[in-house]
Amino acid sequence: MENPNTFKVKVIRHREIIMASLGGLLLVVAFLSESWGSPALTAVLYILTYAVGGYFKAKEGVLDLVHDRTLNVEILMIIAALGAASIGYWHEGAILIFIFSVSGALETYANQRSERDLSKLIQLAPDEANKLGDDDSVTQVRLDDLKIGDRVLVKNGERIPVDGVILSGHSSVDESTITGESLPVDKKEQDEVYNGTINGAGSLVVKVTKENKDSLFQKMIRLVEEAKENRPPSQQLIEKIEGPYVITVLVIVGIMLISPLIFGFNFEETFYRAMVLLVVASPCAVVASIMPTLLSAISTGARKGVLMKGGMYLEQLSKMKAVAFDKTGTITKGEPVVTDFYVTNGVDRVDVLNQVVAIERQSNHPIAEAIVAYGEKQNVESGPDVDWTEGLTGHGVKAVVQDETWYIGNEQLVSKILSGDELPEEIEERKSALQNEGKTIMFIVQGSKVTGVMAVKDEIRPEAKALIQSLNDRGIKTIMITGDHEQTARKISEEAGIKEWIAQCLPEEKVHQVDDLRKQYGSVAMVGDGVNDAPAMAKADIGIAMGSGTDVAIETSDMVLMNSELQNINLSFNLSSRLNRIVKQNLVFSISVILLLIVANFSQNLTLPYGVIAHEGSTILVILNGLRMLKE
């Protein structure tokens, strides 16, 4: 038996379509009663048809008029229906109310269907977690009461309540709420897990790494709320002109109603034409041309792992003339591995490697992790104690080990340290050879002397080439912006199929480069994943963040690829193109129908029933056309 609360929720959700259907039933009974010869019963039935079918739209129009002091299409429909009834056209007025209520219910359904795919994320967010105490006792607590470092027990089949790292246990986790991927992902100790995902067969002990408000799932929910509230410029324009347009129609109708007194026209015929004008000139279809389509597109994107912070970004995406990409973690996997390690003659290779690994253990940068992993494979010792380290953004790291200064970083850092002196010949030769292979070079400086060089290779994402080819086929310029050396940038760009690249670019310089690209191409999207990409993403017309990227990048962006799959950028471009195409179809169709019906009315070739059917039918058609965006 169905839960009464569930049934109640369904009734509330579908109340408009229920009322519209009831109004339609009353309309049929009222029409039949005309042949029964009971005028009083017929009048009562028609009044009920008006009241039941027109309740929600009348309420919406009156509330807008009272609270916002704005006139909208609902007011025109109310006046037209009441006007038709006042001159005896009860049947036509009831048809108007019925079809108008059906189109309104359909539009509400479209919005609910589109928003439901987004809003269900909120319903999936857990409220409580099983916190483990120091004695391994389990206490159920609210998520907001958890702190970073707390341990949480996640049982079989439970929804994981926090962003954290697995301390013990092994399981498969359904991450479809985050990534859109249906296949579970195997998780073991030290793997990351996310709030809102579903644990499989094994129990897990998870260490909290982020407070609830900062979890990836909560960020998604905030994105959802922004997407639902943010309206594109085209919709804002329509809403802006809706009020003045309604006033204009009412003024014209008012002039028509007083014209019999001035020109001696037949009042009943003129009044009838005025009521028809109220119906056919109403911009119902125009108003419904955009938002159902847009919300459907946002919904489809969300199901595929693309979250938009607002409709305007999806609307504008297909108009981008260029797309700039960060390299590491975007074009490449962001999982670099050390391929070469070389020291100058006379230098102890093992000792240098021990020192370098000890320094890089202090950092969580991907390259630092790659160096540490390489050292572990080489069975390096634990290494000396590091006195202190300092991250040099865009350059590398500076450290002091046993009162000696060390630098590990790129060529720009080395140039500053050497103050114009050239690299040792053997280092220069090795550097050139490695860069020609598309590898990233890290120099090792002991004091003021370059003693070694390491090469790091980051594989290109498998889907990168297909995406770049697709963008190139669209006529969109593709540019890679990286801090790497020119030769490495060229090699990676050639592998990916990118036509243009900007090398040796520090984080602050990326902003200027994006600004220059905007001046050159007109509109630019920026794709990135790191803290250093965030300013450039903010500067671009549209910032696109990889879901695996940093919190700052996700917060700054306008769109997020939750599963970090580049091909979803192509999906987003397709959605944007289809969105704009369908919106144009809707607007051209709806405006054409209005103009045609107005002309037919003034030429006295249009009756009220046909005007109602044509006008409201066009509204239903544009809504149904917009719902096509729910399909890929």
Side-chain angles (χ1 to χ4, degrees), residues 72-74 76-77 96 100 103 107 242 245 278-289 590 594 615-616 618-620 622-623:
N72 53 27
V73 295
E74 284 77 14
L76 291 184
M77 292 299 99
L96 168 62
F100 188 55
S103 65
E107 183 175 1
E242 181 183 0
Y245 177 86
L278 278 176
V279 174
V280 301
S282 174
C284 301
V286 176
V287 172
S289 292
S590 57
I594 290 174
H615 180 268
E616 295 305 317
S618 68
T619 303
I620 292 174
V622 299
I623 294 173

Side-chain angles (χ1 to χ4, degrees), residues 527-572:
V527 188
D529 72 321
V531 173
N532 60 340
D533 300 318
M537 290 163 61
K539 187 67 174 179
D541 295 278
I542 296 178
I544 304 174
M546 308 294 282
S548 59
T550 62
D551 292 347
V552 175
I554 292 175
E555 291 286 353
T556 306
S557 66
D558 305 308
M559 296 171 53
V560 183
L561 309 179
M562 295 311 301
N563 53 11
S564 296
E565 292 184 359
L566 286 176
Q567 64 262 33
N568 279 344
I569 294 178
N570 198 37
L571 167 71
S572 302

Side-chain angles (χ1 to χ4, degrees), residues 54 185 329 336 400 568 582 603 612:
V185 180
V400 174
N568 279 344
I582 289 177
S603 63
V612 168

Side-chain angles (χ1 to χ4, degrees), residues 141-200:
V141 299
R142 294 176 63 252
L143 295 188
D144 290 337
D145 294 333
L146 289 173
K147 298 180 177 59
I148 294 174
D150 285 345
R151 294 183 304 147
V152 170
L153 173 65
V154 185
K155 301 176 183 179
N156 301 353
E158 283 188 340
R159 197 171 291 278
I160 297 173
V162 296
D163 279 13
V165 174
I166 297 175
L167 293 178
S168 64
H170 177 277
S171 182
S172 59
V173 176
D174 179 358
E175 296 186 334
S176 57
T177 53
I178 298 291
T179 66
E181 294 293 333
S182 57
L183 293 177
V185 180
D186 286 335
K187 298 284 185 177
K188 58 184 184 303
E189 291 183 13
Q190 299 307 310
D191 284 345
E192 290 185 339
V193 290
Y194 302 102
N195 181 356
T197 58
I198 301 175
N199 183 29

Side-chain angles (χ1 to χ4, degrees), residues 91-237:
H91 186 62
E92 288 82 350
I95 292 175
L96 168 62
I97 289 293
F98 170 64
I99 301 181
F100 188 55
S101 65
V102 169
S103 65
L106 187 58
E107 183 175 1
T108 299
Y109 166 76
N111 292 345
Q112 288 177 343
R113 166 67 191 276
S114 303
E115 292 180 2
R116 196 155 59 241
D117 287 325
L118 303 174
S119 299
K120 68 181 180 182
L121 292 171
I122 300 172
Q123 301 169 7
L124 294 176
D127 296 321
E128 297 179 326
N130 298 315
K131 179 182 176 181
L132 287 173
D134 295 336
D135 57 353
D136 289 339
S137 60
V138 179
T139 307
Q140 201 165 57
V141 299
R142 294 176 63 252
L143 295 188
D144 290 337
D145 294 333
L146 289 173
K147 298 180 177 59
I148 294 174
D150 285 345
R151 294 183 304 147
V152 170
L153 173 65
V154 185
K155 301 176 183 179
N156 301 353
E158 283 188 340
R159 197 171 291 278
I160 297 173
V162 296
D163 279 13
V165 174
I166 297 175
L167 293 178
S168 64
H170 177 277
S171 182
S172 59
V173 176
D174 179 358
E175 296 186 334
S176 57
T177 53
I178 298 291
T179 66
E181 294 293 333
S182 57
L183 293 177
V185 180
D186 286 335
K187 298 284 185 177
K188 58 184 184 303
E189 291 183 13
Q190 299 307 310
D191 284 345
E192 290 185 339
V193 290
Y194 302 102
N195 181 356
T197 58
I198 301 175
N199 183 29
S203 61
L204 303 172
V205 175
V206 177
K207 177 183 176 182
V208 179
T209 57
K210 292 181 182 178
E211 293 183 5
N212 183 47
K213 63 183 177 64
D214 296 323
S215 70
L216 182 59
F217 199 74
Q218 292 299 323
K219 290 181 187 297
M220 289 175 62
I221 291 173
R222 288 198 291 273
L223 293 182
V224 166
E225 296 298 335
E226 291 176 16
K228 288 163 61 178
E229 298 298 326
N230 193 304
R231 294 174 178 267
S234 55
Q235 180 67 22
Q236 293 177 19
L237 176 62

Side-chain angles (χ1 to χ4, degrees), residues 423-607:
L423 289 169
E425 184 176 349
E426 55 186 315
I427 294 291
E428 182 67 44
E429 290 177 357
R430 188 57 59 98
K431 178 202 77 170
S432 299
L434 294 172
Q435 285 178 339
N436 286 333
E437 296 174 10
K439 297 175 180 178
T440 299
I441 308 302
M442 302 297 291
F443 296 91
I444 302 166
V445 182
Q446 185 176 356
S448 60
K449 181 182 178 182
V450 180
T451 58
V453 63
M454 303 186 84
V456 177
K457 179 73 172 180
D458 190 2
E459 295 295 327
I460 290 179
R461 290 177 179 269
E463 69 271 23
K465 294 181 181 179
L467 169 66
I468 299 302
Q469 183 62 50
S470 175
L471 294 177
N472 289 339
D473 291 344
R474 292 175 184 269
I476 298 173
K477 298 293 183 181
T478 52
I479 306 99
M480 186 178 76
I481 304 178
T482 178
D484 258 337
H485 192 274
E486 177 73 21
Q487 290 170 292
T488 303
R490 175 181 56 79
K491 185 70 175 179
I492 296 294
S493 296
E494 289 176 352
E495 286 186 35
I498 295 175
K499 303 298 183 182
E500 183 179 343
W501 60 89
I502 302 170
Q504 295 180 301
C505 192
L506 293 175
E508 59 269 22
E509 293 173 347
K510 286 187 177 182
V511 177
H512 301 302
Q513 294 294 346
V514 168
D515 196 31
D516 290 341
L517 290 172
R518 291 181 68 195
K519 293 175 182 176
Q520 181 179 354
Y521 296 112
S523 53
V524 176
M526 173 72 190
V527 188
D529 72 321
V531 173
N532 60 340
D533 300 318
M537 290 163 61
K539 187 67 174 179
D541 295 278
I542 296 178
I544 304 174
M546 308 294 282
S548 59
T550 62
D551 292 347
V552 175
I554 292 175
E555 291 286 353
T556 306
S557 66
D558 305 308
M559 296 171 53
V560 183
L561 309 179
M562 295 311 301
N563 53 11
S564 296
E565 292 184 359
L566 286 176
Q567 64 262 33
N568 279 344
I569 294 178
N570 198 37
L571 167 71
S572 302
F573 270 92
N574 288 335
L575 284 175
S576 180
S577 297
R578 287 185 60 212
L579 168 68
N580 288 315
R581 184 168 64 251
I582 289 177
V583 166
K584 286 178 183 177
Q585 291 172 356
N586 285 348
L587 289 174
V588 169
F589 174 72
S590 57
I591 292 172
S592 299
V593 169
I594 290 174
L595 294 176
L596 180 63
L597 293 178
I598 289 175
V599 171
N601 180 47
F602 281 112
S603 63
Q604 300 189 349
N605 290 320
L606 184 68
T607 61

Side-chain angles (χ1 to χ4, degrees), residues 285-314:
V286 176
V287 172
S289 292
I290 298 176
M291 283 310 293
T293 309
L294 178 65
L295 288 174
S296 297
I298 292 176
S299 172
T300 299
R303 289 201 310 273
K304 296 299 177 180
V306 181
L307 289 185
M308 323 284 178
K309 291 189 179 180
M312 64 179 294
Y313 305 116
L314 184 58

